[in-house]
Amino acid sequence: MAINLEMATLGGGCFWCTEAVFSRLNGVIKVVSGYAGGWLPNPTYEEVCSDRTGHAEVVQITFDPNVISYRTLLEVFFDIHDPTTKNRQGNDVGSQYRSIILYHNEEQRKIALEIIDELNKTKYHGKIVTEVVPFKEFYPAEDYHQSFYDRNRNYPYCRVVIDPKIRKLMTNHSRIIKIKTS
């Protein structure tokens, strides 16, 4: 039986954080940190951090929709970052840290807008600033950014910023976490 994989591209602050979270979800096949939403082709990390490329730090998630839905991915996305702060997540400031959903098709756009509408009515009271824009191009980040959290768990940023997000994921979404066999 053929598996029809889908793609989601999301930015919720530092891609080290979002990659660490989404890579732990059952049904997620692959997560790549990178840049999207801007105009400069093949940007470097330094260029994106200059805040002059239009790109956000994002993750591109390959997932099996028969195991995890796009809606569930977005529910986790909105739970692990603050979608009410423009161009900022905690101490990370700049447009590269903005909350952004880059939809790959009309169905993804529709689901994103529905969830934003629901959350604006129930939790955020109209304050969500997440951009919902069509996906155009994704540029993978440099190799040293990939799987950063899993390779650098004792790095202070990982302990102070990412660890709490992982704990929140484990608490709020334990039913969809990958089970480690090793």
Side-chain angles (χ1 to χ4, degrees):
M1 179 171 98
I3 297 175
N4 293 319
L5 300 178
E6 291 185 23
M7 195 83 66
T9 307
L10 308 171
C14 172
F15 49 34
W16 295 346
C17 297
T18 49
E19 179 187 310
V21 166
F22 286 106
S23 66
R24 284 162 170 70
L25 299 180
N26 192 26
V28 169
I29 310 304
K30 180 176 159 185
V31 183
V32 179
S33 290
Y35 316 109
W39 52 84
L40 184 69
N42 300 305
T44 65
Y45 180 69
E46 290 73 22
E47 289 170 329
V48 172
C49 288
S50 76
D51 210 11
R52 294 188 298 251
T53 67
H55 289 293
E57 288 191 17
V58 301
V59 289
Q60 191 157 72
I61 305 162
T62 304
F63 67 100
D64 181 347
N66 294 313
V67 178
I68 190 167
S69 69
Y70 183 72
R71 182 180 240 311
T72 299
L73 291 174
L74 291 185
E75 288 168 356
V76 171
F77 171 72
F78 281 110
D79 193 40
I80 57 132
H81 85 291
D82 181 355
T84 68
T85 55
K86 187 170 178 65
N87 298 333
R88 160 182 223 130
Q89 286 298 305
N91 290 328
D92 294 333
V93 179
S95 65
Q96 71 270 27
Y97 300 117
R98 70 189 182 272
S99 179
I100 186 170
I101 297 170
L102 299 112
Y103 60 86
H104 289 259
N105 55 50
E106 184 58 26
E107 183 65 17
Q108 286 187 355
R109 184 186 77 79
K110 181 180 166 215
I111 292 167
L113 293 175
E114 285 173 358
I115 289 177
I116 289 170
D117 186 52
E118 290 167 15
L119 290 172
N120 265 330
K121 288 177 182 171
T122 61
K123 184 175 181 180
Y124 294 110
H125 310 290
K127 296 178 183 172
I128 292 177
V129 296
T130 304
E131 293 177 24
V132 179
V133 298
F135 172 83
K136 292 182 180 157
E137 190 73 42
F138 173 79
Y139 302 99
E142 296 79 355
D143 287 345
Y144 69 93
H145 289 297
Q146 307 304 327
S147 302
F148 188 88
Y149 175 75
D150 289 329
R151 292 182 297 101
N152 299 281
R153 287 195 183 176
N154 287 325
Y155 186 69
Y157 185 91
C158 294
R159 292 196 341 246
V160 172
V161 178
I162 303 174
D163 280 349
K165 290 179 185 283
I166 298 297
R167 284 192 298 275
K168 185 175 189 178
L169 174 73
M170 299 304 204
T171 300
N172 295 354
H173 304 281
S174 61
R175 73 192 191 314
I176 58 172
I177 302 299
K178 289 180 182 175
I179 297 171
K180 299 244 183 207
T181 57
S182 55

